[in-house]
């Protein structure tokens, strides 16, 4: 496959799933400010309060009405994402879309403590939100009648750490790795339909929080990761990681279906 570059200044339907965390906020801000007039950015998350706060921030910072910002509250198991997407597409019908971008930034640890879900239902609920729902949303995005003949880009935010063995993190690692494989398969299956796919590992976030065990004792990330060499890399701010992704898309170039890591090159 040939290396590609993309000019983000196109009339675009943007979907960002997982927008309430710091990286999601930065992705929403930086991608939205580069879209052409007439574009629509749909931000999905289950935290309604954070969605409202982000909407206000985006409207203040972007200082333009050329890109419509729309928020969508995901339900408990994130199964309504495709319905929110279709509603947004219905609302912007006949606007001459040039491209659609879907950014998957979902993903949290199974629990805040070093204790994985203990019942079958808890496991199923976690996998539903972190794996099944993103895949279902992507499939609906690919098949949407409103996006036929529209160039598509899927961005899977992955992790160079979370796809490796983690102590007390087997479920998180498994979901991340399965999602990565799904997007690789999408790149192969949809290449003839003008769909480009990139899996991007944004580096170790500077704001990473230590976890605690059942007794409240703080546990460092270094104690959980099998490969200590990964943790020697410099920590990254969300905006740095976002600008690096944009630089890869617009300037450095990428190969559809390949994984790209923030630390592959420090060019910004």
């Amino acid at each position: 496959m040939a290396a590609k570059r993309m000019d983000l200044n196109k009339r675009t339907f943007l979907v960002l799933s997982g927008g309430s965390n710091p990286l999601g906020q930065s992705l929403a801000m930086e991608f939205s400010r580069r879209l052409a007039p007439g574009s629509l950015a749909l931000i999905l998350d289950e935290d309604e309060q954070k969605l409202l706060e982000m909407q206000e921030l985006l409207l203040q910072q972007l200082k333009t009405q050329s890109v419509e910002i729309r928020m969508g509250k995901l339900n408990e198991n994130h199964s309504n994402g495709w319905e929110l997407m279709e509603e947004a597409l219905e609302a912007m019908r006949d606007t001459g879309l040039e491209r659609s971008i879907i950014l998957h930034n979902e993903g949290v640890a199974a629990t805040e403590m070093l204790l994985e879900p203990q019942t079958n239902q808890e496991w199923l609920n976690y996998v539903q939100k972190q794996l099944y729902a993103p895949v279902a949303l992507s499939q609906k995005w690919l098949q949407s009648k409103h996006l036929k003949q529209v160039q598509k880009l899927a961005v899977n935010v992955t992790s160079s750490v979370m796809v490796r063995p983690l102590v007390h993190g087997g479920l998180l690692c498994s979901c991340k790795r399965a999602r990565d494989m799904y997007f690789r398969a999408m790149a192969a299956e949809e290449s003839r339909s003008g769909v480009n796919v990139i899996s991007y590992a944004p580096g170790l976030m500077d704001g990473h929080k230590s976890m605690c065990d059942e007794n409240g004792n703080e546990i460092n990330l270094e104690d959980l990761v099998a490969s200590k060499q990964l943790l020697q890399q410099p920590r990254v701010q969300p905006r740095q990681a976002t600008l690096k992704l944009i630089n890869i898309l617009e300037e450095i170039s990428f190969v559809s279906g390949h994984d790209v890591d923030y630390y592959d090159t420090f060019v910004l």
Side-chain angles (χ1 to χ4, degrees):
M1 294 184 183
K4 306 175 186 296
R5 292 188 181 92
M6 285 193 168
D7 177 9
L8 295 179
N9 187 29
K10 301 287 185 182
R11 187 170 294 178
T12 302
F13 176 63
L14 171 69
V15 182
L16 169 59
S17 184
S20 66
N21 60 53
L23 179 60
Q25 294 173 12
S26 180
L27 289 168
M29 181 69 69
E30 298 302 331
F31 270 81
S32 295
R33 73 167 77 248
R34 286 165 173 78
L35 302 181
S39 298
L40 186 151
L42 173 63
I43 316 299
L44 302 175
D45 202 90
E46 65 179 357
D47 191 322
E48 187 172 15
Q49 181 59 39
K50 288 185 177 179
L51 280 175
L52 293 174
E53 292 172 358
M54 184 162 59
Q55 183 177 33
E56 183 177 352
L57 178 65
L58 289 171
L59 293 175
Q60 289 176 352
Q61 295 293 321
L62 293 176
K63 296 179 180 178
T64 177
Q65 300 299 320
S66 61
V67 176
E68 181 183 351
I69 305 297
R70 184 168 179 147
M71 300 294 164
K73 184 182 183 302
L74 295 170
N75 58 21
E76 186 177 3
N77 59 11
H78 294 194
S79 62
N80 66 328
W82 69 273
E83 295 174 325
L84 296 169
M85 180 183 68
E86 286 297 307
E87 289 174 5
L89 283 167
E90 286 283 353
M92 70 173 305
R93 187 184 302 180
D94 301 326
T95 57
L97 282 176
E98 298 174 273
R99 179 181 294 139
S100 182
I101 300 174
I102 190 165
L103 284 162
H104 281 286
N105 184 47
E106 309 95 343
V108 294
T111 68
E112 294 181 358
M113 295 193 308
L114 291 178
L115 179 69
E116 292 205 281
Q118 298 299 293
T119 68
N120 289 344
Q121 191 58 51
E122 287 175 333
W123 278 69
L124 288 172
N125 291 344
Y126 181 79
V127 176
Q128 164 66 30
K129 292 169 66 172
Q130 308 302 323
L131 177 60
Y132 297 158
V135 169
L137 178 60
S138 292
Q139 288 300 115
K140 290 291 186 179
W141 173 75
L142 288 170
Q143 299 164 7
S144 174
K145 63 181 181 180
H146 301 291
L147 298 175
K148 287 184 178 179
Q149 309 304 318
V150 175
Q151 186 187 63
K152 297 181 179 69
L153 169 67
V155 180
N156 170 43
V157 178
T158 182
S159 169
S160 55
V161 172
M162 299 302 179
V163 296
R164 297 168 184 263
L166 278 178
V167 178
H168 300 291
L171 191 53
L172 173 61
C173 300
S174 300
C175 287
K176 282 284 188 183
R177 180 62 80 179
R179 259 175 55 178
D180 287 359
M181 182 54 66
Y182 165 75
F183 283 100
R184 290 180 187 176
M186 179 197 291
E189 293 172 359
E190 302 293 337
S191 60
R192 290 174 293 181
S193 302
V195 179
N196 294 300
V197 182
I198 181 172
S199 285
Y200 175 62
L204 292 172
M205 292 291 105
D206 188 53
H208 169 79
K209 296 180 180 179
S210 298
M211 299 180 74
C212 296
D213 64 16
E214 292 181 77
N215 298 316
N217 300 311
E218 187 174 284
I219 305 296
N220 293 321
L221 184 62
E222 288 81 356
D223 299 325
L224 306 180
V225 181
S227 176
K228 302 297 187 285
Q229 184 178 359
L230 287 170
L231 303 179
Q232 304 307 310
Q233 304 284 9
R235 294 300 176 102
V236 183
Q237 295 289 341
R239 188 167 185 270
Q240 283 179 285
T242 300
L243 293 179
K244 178 62 177 295
L245 171 60
I246 291 172
N247 188 249
I248 290 168
L249 294 173
E250 293 193 319
E251 303 292 341
I252 297 176
S253 77
F254 67 100
V255 177
S256 182
H258 283 205
D259 297 352
V260 180
D261 195 290
Y262 176 88
Y263 301 115
D264 287 346
T265 170
F266 288 96
V267 176
L268 278 174

